[in-house]
Amino acid sequence: MRQGNNISKDVLLKLTPCMHRVIIPLYIPEETEYYKDSFDVFSMCLESLHKTSYTTLKISVVSNGCSAGINSKLLELQQQGLIDELIIEREAIGKINSLLKVLRTVEEPFITITDGDVLFLNGWEDKVFEVFEAFPKAGMVSPVPVFRTHFRLTSNIWVRYLFNKRLYFREVKNQNALTKFANSIGWSRLDEKWKETILTLQGKQDVTAVVGCSHFVGTYKRDIFKYLPKVNSNYKLGGNSEFLYTDKPVIDAGGYRLATYDNYAYHMGNTIESWMLETYNALDIIEHKMPLKNNNDFLLKDNLIMKLARFLFEKLLYFKPFKRYLLKKKGLTTKQIENFIS
């Protein structure tokens, strides 16, 4: 029988103030072959977050069917204070469903979703929030610009800035980082035509952002996730899952998908290389964390007129003469246009 009073009853929550949460879904079923370096890669990812973040962020890790040995290591990391929330699923429920475990209840206004093989660099958080401040309609900002994202879920940007010189192709800020990204996804090299120029958008206080982004790492406004599908994903990985759950909600909310102009993180892949260790060891540790400044730009809206304009624009993109016109209007030469069209 129950005896005495529960001292927690009717006590109001007093949580540590936090404006930014990072969510890392993790799948390491074994520590051999493909996954032999995976936990070391993840550890570098986690430590780099702690070293380089300048705000008091909280980190959630979802173990998606990881081995018992990996789960034991994760528990140790949580006890060390490196993980704020640890969710362990014995069965592999898939990357997106792992994210949903946190996303459906998260309270922080900004949420970074990252794969466990991302090495964060000094300045990443500062530059990401700089883009959010410069572009009030930004819904997702990645610290890693990647090539050829200018037509990928960016029609709302094109429609808004079609006749505005703020939208223009500029030289790539960090060609070496683009090459490293290509290497991380299995490309042996990156041709000059892929890293010569990139579509950018100029915002407040002359902040430059890259148009479009990849979804392996990105920071979102929480309001975006009001547009999540009501049901869980059917895929462990891939399919249309990341489009439906992390890409499309940004557009449905009327948000822009952007990236920082310079590179502030690296995609490591599943193998540690010497340059990664050198970069990691050279990181400056931010000792004094600051609270993230609150503002009223969190909520995003879309409207019927913009939805119709986006629909028509996307249909017109199927016509190569129209696409050539757009690329020329935004600064590409005839030779560059052929490279972008082919």
Side-chain angles (χ1 to χ4, degrees), residues 120-244:
F120 291 86
L121 307 179
N122 287 113
W124 80 272
E125 199 181 16
D126 184 38
K127 292 300 181 179
V128 161
F129 288 119
E130 182 179 79
V131 173
F132 276 116
E133 289 184 12
F135 301 92
K137 287 188 72 66
M140 174 190 181
V141 179
S142 174
V144 182
V146 298
F147 41 81
R148 306 292 172 92
T149 59
H150 47 276
F151 286 137
R152 190 186 307 161
L153 299 173
T154 59
S155 57
N156 52 358
I157 299 174
W158 277 96
V159 169
R160 170 65 180 81
Y161 293 95
L162 186 59
F163 302 104
N164 194 312
K165 290 186 177 180
R166 289 180 179 272
L167 182 67
Y168 208 75
F169 280 93
R170 292 176 174 82
E171 65 178 354
V172 170
K173 182 76 172 181
N174 190 333
Q175 291 193 3
N176 184 52
L178 273 190
T179 300
K180 279 184 164 55
F181 173 75
N183 294 157
S184 76
I185 59 175
W187 293 23
S188 60
R189 60 187 297 274
L190 189 65
D191 290 344
E192 187 65 30
K193 67 180 182 180
W194 291 94
K195 57 185 178 181
E196 181 182 15
T197 186
I198 201 164
L199 186 64
T200 64
L201 187 62
Q202 205 79 10
K204 296 178 182 178
Q205 299 180 341
D206 290 327
V207 172
T208 300
V210 168
V211 175
C213 57
S214 182
H215 47 231
F216 72 91
V217 57
T219 302
Y220 300 76
K221 290 178 179 176
R222 182 184 61 187
D223 196 52
I224 292 299
F225 297 109
K226 291 180 180 179
Y227 297 85
L228 282 171
K230 301 300 182 185
V231 298
N232 288 358
S233 172
N234 293 323
Y235 290 93
K236 282 188 175 181
L237 186 67
N240 63 354
S241 60
E242 288 179 292
F243 167 74
L244 289 177

Side-chain angles (χ1 to χ4, degrees), residues 312-329:
L312 293 174
F313 180 84
E314 289 163 7
K315 292 297 182 184
L316 286 171
L317 282 180
Y318 286 102
F319 297 96
K320 284 191 175 181
F322 178 70
K323 189 177 287 188
R324 284 193 172 92
Y325 164 76
L326 291 178
L327 297 176
K328 182 178 181 180
K329 184 176 180 62

Side-chain angles (χ1 to χ4, degrees), residues 22 42 47 64 125 133 181 188 207 245 250 252 262 313 334:
V22 179
F42 165 73
E47 290 278 6
N64 167 34
E125 199 181 16
E133 289 184 12
F181 173 75
S188 60
V207 172
Y245 290 83
V250 181
D252 290 342
D262 205 348
F313 180 84
T334 301

Side-chain angles (χ1 to χ4, degrees), residues 69-124:
I70 293 296
N71 287 335
S72 295
K73 293 179 181 180
L74 292 175
L75 285 166
E76 289 180 12
L77 292 174
Q78 187 184 39
Q79 290 167 1
Q80 295 169 20
L82 296 175
I83 298 174
D84 296 279
E85 178 185 32
L86 176 60
I87 300 173
I88 296 178
E89 286 285 344
R90 291 179 60 189
E91 186 177 9
I93 61 173
K95 177 181 178 179
I96 292 299
N97 295 333
S98 298
L99 292 173
L100 293 177
K101 290 283 183 179
V102 183
L103 280 179
R104 296 205 190 277
T105 58
V106 72
E107 295 185 351
E108 289 77 19
F110 287 101
I111 304 159
T112 293
I113 296 175
T114 177
D115 288 352
D117 58 356
V118 174
L119 180 63
F120 291 86
L121 307 179
N122 287 113
W124 80 272

Side-chain angles (χ1 to χ4, degrees), residues 44-45 47-49 51-52 118-123 174 176-177 180 263-268 272-285:
M44 288 175 63
C45 170
E47 290 278 6
S48 70
L49 272 170
K51 283 186 174 185
T52 61
V118 174
L119 180 63
F120 291 86
L121 307 179
N122 287 113
N174 190 333
N176 184 52
K180 279 184 164 55
N263 183 79
Y264 293 97
Y266 288 118
H267 182 244
M268 293 184 283
I272 294 178
E273 300 174 36
S274 59
W275 70 264
M276 298 175 190
L277 291 172
E278 292 170 5
T279 303
Y280 171 79
N281 291 329
L283 293 176
D284 293 327
I285 301 175

